[in-house]
Amino acid sequence: MMFNTQISISGGIRTMRLLSMLLVMLSATTMQGQQTEKIYLSGQGSDDMVMWDFYCTDGMNAEKWTKIGVPSCWELQGFGRYDYGFAPDSVRGKGNGLYKHRFHVPQSWKGKTINIVFEGVMTDAEVLINGKSAGPIHQGAFYAFKYDINKLLRYGQDNILEVTVAKHSANESVNKAERHADYWIFGGIFRPVWLEVLPATHIRKVAIDANADGDFLVHANVDGKEADGMTLRLFDQKNNPVGNTFTLKKERPNQFVLSERLIGAKPWSPESPHLYTAVLTLQSGDEVVHEVRERIGFRTIEVRKRDGIYVNGVKMKFKGINRHAFRPETGRATSKRISIADVELIKEMNMNAVRMAHYPPDGHFLDVCDSLGLFVVDELAGWHGHYDTPTGTRLLKEMIDHDGNHPSVVIWANGNEGGHNTELDPLFAEFDIQKRPIIHPWQLHNSIETQHYRQYNYGVGNYENGREIVMPTEFLHGWFDGGHGAGLEDYWHRMWHNPLSAGGFLWDFADQAVVRKDLNDSLDTDKHRGADGILGPHHEKEGSFFAVKEIWGPIHVERREITEGFDGTFILENRYHFTNVNACKFTWKLQKMGLQGIQMEQSGKANAPDIPPHQKGTLKLSLPDNWADYDVLYMTADDPYGRELFTWSFPISRPEKLVADIVQQTGAGKIALNITDSVYDIQVADISLSINKTTGLLQAVANAKGIIPLTDGPTIHEGETNFADFTHQYDDAGNLVVGSTFDRKTNYNTLRWTIYTSGWVKMEVNYFPAELHTLMLGVNFSFPEDSIRSVTYMGKGPYRVWKNRLKGGRFGVWTKEHNDTETGERWVYPEFKGYHANFYGGIFQMEGQRFTVLTETEDLFLRLFTPNWKTDQWHNYEPHFPPGDISFMHAIPAIGSRTQTSETTGPMGLKNILYDYEKDPARVLNMVVYFNFSAR
């Protein structure tokens, strides 16, 4: 029989005495299997904290004994002071937290080895058991450490655990590595605490190197009396035994080694995370002395200089994100549930890798990466400073002892951005049986160039223009709505096609907005320093989330216009590293829609084509004969586990069809025209319009329900609003046409209004850009923002776009309620304000009033109002919008990031380019928009 006992013990003595009987029974039971018992003194995560006694020396709720949940960061429990890593030393919280906790130890444990284990304490921890020191003060927040407390325990009695935690370390190198950094810093016992109960003679440590070809090497160390032998048996994920029972060789009295091969081993990768359980059994004669289990994966990692990073013999493109362990309500204290949620979101973006920024993670996070499949870059802390060598040596060993057997961990990082203690580099290989590659994030090290935030096409004889492997461990720094997906399409195109590129890691996963217990539970990003996530603090999805999902999808669909000759075929490129496209599933859906929603729908399945990794092939959809009667085709690809990779949308009908279906040009009414010196006053049906006779701009609109405050348009942005010499006439159908006159030198931009007898109004604008290079091009109207309630539109949505972030949306009919969301400041997504792509038409809803807009111009952008202006000292992030409030645009601007101006993010980040050939009418930009202002 094999057991793995895990028990949580709360602090109450009554509860402890009741549990003691259970512990005795469990202890007697586990003696048969001799497995390690893991007895939690704290909760197992932030979602099941156990109350301990607590005293804080400084800040909120200081200088009194009370209770605190463990594990936790004490600031989030209402104690101490909040500090961001840039806070001046004079105002930093440097208080201590004093913890006390009672726990019961059964008499039956006497004679065993009992360790107390702390998985993470910020920052210095002094541990006492029954008033006596358990060992040296531990310094360093993110590392598991333990003490043998056999001689300090009272068996059959209650015991007292006391821990004094210093938020600010007495070791200045620890503060430089961990605390002087661009993130929130906390104090407390923020990871679980447990008792590790082992037989007196036991397996102390197991290190395993399992390679993709089935070869594996095991080192096992034993504490206690000399044992006779040790065996290893492997089990698959269904707990079926695989291979033989292997016998380890005793190299020294307490050290065992095994070098063997598992025939038919299934390699581990993010695409197929095959795991095995290695059961090691220590024996003395015929008696089982101790048994341990290690979960492993067979995979090989190799750096080939001037070539690439290979996993299981295949050159990798890492599609990664930097992740902090963080939640607004709990800070750095997390849980397995949180780890699962984070990994699932990372994989939902079609990423295959995550970098630990800037410290080692919780053990359960690596467990989840192992089982769900993510490459991990595991990092020894060192933001811009590093540990001294003695401290770093100890913490490095603790990190590798804790994380070293996880197959997901494929690269070690020695610090970050200058926080590299190079004296530690050789120790990585000494401590790590797998000899994983080591990088220095933002430096060239070990033939891997990891420079951060380099501009597109950066490098003079290096980086993109050099000969080394390029893998930026941070790029396209998110900030508000910039970075991440804005620029990624250009970067990824270059990375994918560059043989020396190993991909890269975006910065970063989620906004770090902490709940301020001292500020009425408000969310604080420390003046937006923490507003750089692709998700909000509670994992609200920003527009870049979906852009990344499409750009990094492992199935790339070549551009395809749906024309009359469309036969249902698409050219696919398989960008998986190990998976054939035929392991995926494809479905399709046809929809006919109007501004009121879906009118007709039909769906089906498609046979997945046989396309090996890194190859191209054809997918054929068997569509019905009447497919052209629909407006849009959706195609969805699911991965072998049923997760959606992406849903692509392909408009079938063009905007002029929507116009033909909806716009009525003829009506029973007549058009009344009153002309003054400056205004055309027009009435038709229940509508009254006023158009300036000199400029042609709309001055006023009303209907039977009242005023529609759409005015002062169309004005041309980055072009001359030089409409002039207006005339009017009625056509044969009785429609009124008011138009300007073209003159190639003076009034070369033209405007024509057509007021139909039905009440519909047509606006046609022909215009030229003012310059060869422009930020944006289109026409603007004024409309008071406080009058709008919502917009329902047909186009790509529901998120706004930028010129360098057009991916991720889906063509359809979307309703957006007005909000005042500023990305990274408020987290009601999608944002209402901004540019919206592929606009066909929309209904603009006011309080008790509305109007409709349609266009027959393809690829038009709808601009809705203006987010708050932002800039920085480098003018990197600047959201440019034209004057006015509602615009219809041919071209929009790109957006920068925290570290780059938009034009340095790639070709899509450059200004728009159009040459007018000296105002040649054949080169004019044409826009046709229809308005229905009627209340009927």
Side-chain angles (χ1 to χ4, degrees), residues 16-46:
M16 290 304 310
R17 287 172 178 166
L18 290 172
L19 284 171
S20 65
M21 293 188 294
L22 174 62
L23 292 174
V24 170
M25 290 187 291
L26 284 169
S27 179
T29 303
T30 54
M31 283 294 289
Q32 300 174 33
Q34 296 297 312
Q35 279 207 325
T36 304
E37 295 178 63
K38 190 174 185 179
I39 313 298
Y40 281 92
L41 302 182
S42 70
Q44 297 185 41
S46 58

Side-chain angles (χ1 to χ4, degrees), residues 51-55 65-68 98-102:
M51 302 306 292
W52 289 16
D53 295 324
F54 184 67
Y55 182 98
W65 279 101
T66 181
K67 297 287 185 180
I68 194 171
L98 283 62
Y99 295 80
K100 286 186 180 180
H101 185 65
R102 289 179 178 269

Side-chain angles (χ1 to χ4, degrees), residues 686 702-707 848-850 935-936:
D686 66 333
N703 62 24
K705 290 186 176 181
I707 295 173
Q849 179 77 291
R850 71 179 189 178
R936 296 173 183 172

Side-chain angles (χ1 to χ4, degrees), residues 135-198:
I137 293 174
H138 185 271
Q139 296 176 323
F142 303 99
Y143 309 87
F145 59 97
K146 66 175 70 175
Y147 300 105
D148 182 338
I149 57 173
N150 291 344
K151 296 179 181 179
L152 304 178
L153 293 173
R154 299 168 182 163
Y155 295 93
Q157 302 180 45
D158 293 331
N159 291 260
I160 298 176
L161 165 65
E162 297 173 273
V163 186
T164 300
V165 177
K167 178 176 178 178
H168 191 79
S169 179
N171 183 329
E172 192 54 35
S173 79
V174 172
N175 294 323
K176 288 180 179 178
E178 298 180 5
R179 320 295 289 174
H180 297 273
D182 188 3
Y183 48 77
W184 288 102
I185 56 176
F186 302 103
I189 302 174
F190 72 106
R191 290 178 180 168
V193 183
W194 64 87
L195 298 177
E196 187 179 64
V197 185
L198 308 115

